[in-house]
Amino acid sequence: MRELVSAILILIGTVFMSLSGLGILRMPDLYTRMSATTKVATLGVGSVLLAVAVYFGELGVATRALATVAFVLLTAPVAAHMIGRASYFVGVPLWEQTAIDELRGHYDLRTHELESVCFPELELRLPGMQVGRFRIPEQSAVAGKTLAEIELRQRYSVTLLAVCRGSHLLSNPDGDVRLFPGDELILIGPPERLEEVSEAFRRSGDEQTPAG
Amino acid sequence: MSLPDLILLVALPLLSLTMMLAFVRLVRGPSLPDRVIALDLIGTLGMGMIALYAIARNQPALLDVAIVLALLSFLGTIAFARYLERRV
């Protein structure tokens, strides 16, 4: 009976570990390959160690085997997280068919801190002000115009802190910077004025823009 | 088929093949983190193979080797990740 259970566990473990090898070879980018090495291989090795615990059936061996399972389950995600984080900073490219990169533009590349953490602090120090991020839509009226033409400060009394384009961050952009669809703008101003800006960005190019 | 036979004839050859696949990724890269996770996977596979060999040879003491390998593989990956992040 014990032999049968451990044989089944060994087969499960071997199949999963073999799949992890297939995954690391065939997956399209580092981040998806990582899921093969961490999740699948951890499951496989855990299953094999469980088989060891069942097969020998001694308290000492089973304790060591289960402690190893616990250790692997704890360390594999930590190691994967550190490698994933480091590779994102190094600039390892994502698969070209990746739909969303939620970290894009949020990381401060100098301090390695998430930028969104800083916003609430900034808002706390400037009562009545809010920091907002806006993406320029495809058909937007402001797409293709320079910042000087849009007159954000004069028309809406908001201040532009930075423009995120791809993985670049243009901080303190001057009037000659031209906006393109997909750019992300980080603005600071009163909440109701930010609303107006977001509406103005969404308006398509055919409609009339309100004159200041 | 007895359990040692199952391990020696099916499981270990399959895992050796898997290790070769991981080795291909280790050689091909293309980036340094790719190689690091390939090494990590080779460490994990090695753990599994040692555990299987402990059953096949009826030597529970071999499990200690698997524990040390788990520890070293984790520390190695952490060290590589720190090095990568410092370098930028």
Side-chain angles (χ1 to χ4, degrees):
Chain A
M1 183 62 198
R2 270 211 322 248
E3 284 219 352
L4 183 69
V5 173
S6 46
I8 291 170
L9 283 172
I10 284 170
L11 278 181
I12 294 174
T14 310
V15 166
F16 272 109
M17 280 198 274
S18 312
L19 284 178
S20 74
L22 207 61
I24 198 173
L25 197 65
R26 296 286 302 153
M27 285 291 196
D29 71 352
L30 172 85
Y31 306 97
T32 47
R33 272 173 219 147
M34 230 159 51
S35 70
T37 64
T38 54
K39 289 195 209 93
V40 186
T42 306
L43 181 62
V45 85
S47 172
V48 165
L49 285 167
L50 223 57
V52 171
V54 171
Y55 179 76
F56 288 106
E58 294 166 32
L59 187 63
V61 179
T63 312
R64 268 183 290 169
L66 292 180
T68 316
V69 174
F71 180 79
V72 172
L73 283 183
L74 278 177
T75 55
V78 175
H81 174 255
M82 286 197 70
I83 279 291
R85 191 184 136 90
S87 351
Y88 196 83
F89 286 131
V90 178
V92 176
L94 276 73
W95 186 27
E96 68 268 19
Q97 289 189 41
T98 306
I100 305 173
D101 176 6
E102 285 187 325
L103 288 176
R104 190 171 68 181
H106 285 255
Y107 261 125
D108 185 326
L109 290 176
R110 271 176 303 111
T111 61
H112 288 196
E113 274 171 8
L114 268 178
E115 205 175 59
S116 52
V117 181
C118 309
F119 286 168
E121 209 176 294
L122 196 62
E123 285 168 11
L124 217 64
R125 292 193 188 171
L126 300 166
M129 300 290 253
Q130 214 182 354
V131 180
R133 305 175 72 98
F134 302 99
R135 187 176 286 278
I136 308 280
E138 207 57 55
Q139 304 289 332
S140 175
V142 295
K145 290 189 180 171
T146 63
L147 290 174
E149 286 167 341
I150 301 169
E151 297 182 313
L152 279 170
R153 198 188 301 253
Q154 291 86 338
R155 258 190 225 179
Y156 306 101
S157 62
V158 295
T159 306
L160 180 62
L161 296 177
V163 179
C164 298
R165 177 172 301 158
S167 53
H168 294 289
L169 189 75
L170 313 164
S171 52
N172 277 330
D174 55 22
D176 313 327
V177 171
R178 207 170 280 280
L179 293 181
F180 295 103
D183 285 359
E184 234 180 336
L185 272 59
I186 302 174
L187 297 160
I188 187 164
E192 61 275 7
R193 306 297 282 185
L194 288 179
E195 285 278 308
E196 285 173 33
V197 175
S198 123
E199 259 173 51
F201 283 178
R202 275 202 299 267
R203 214 171 286 132
S204 71
D206 325 324
E207 293 170 50
Q208 198 66 46
T209 45
Chain B
M1 193 183 234
S2 68
L3 197 51
D5 280 349
L6 173 79
I7 290 171
L8 292 175
L9 297 178
V10 179
L12 287 182
L14 255 175
L15 289 187
S16 311
L17 200 74
T18 309
M19 218 175 224
M20 274 164 66
L21 295 183
F23 196 76
V24 170
R25 178 53 71 198
L26 179 68
V27 173
R28 282 215 325 221
S31 65
L32 185 55
D34 280 301
R35 295 174 214 270
V36 175
I37 60 165
L39 266 181
D40 193 41
L41 181 64
I42 288 175
T44 313
L45 290 172
M47 269 179 70
M49 287 170 90
I50 291 168
L52 287 173
Y53 200 68
I55 298 181
R57 286 281 170 263
N58 208 10
Q59 289 282 339
L62 284 177
L63 201 56
D64 295 339
V65 184
I67 297 175
V68 173
L69 196 59
L71 206 75
L72 283 180
S73 146
F74 172 60
L75 287 180
T77 311
I78 294 291
F80 267 121
R82 295 287 293 176
Y83 161 71
L84 273 171
E85 213 177 311
R86 284 280 173 77
R87 212 176 48 164
V88 211

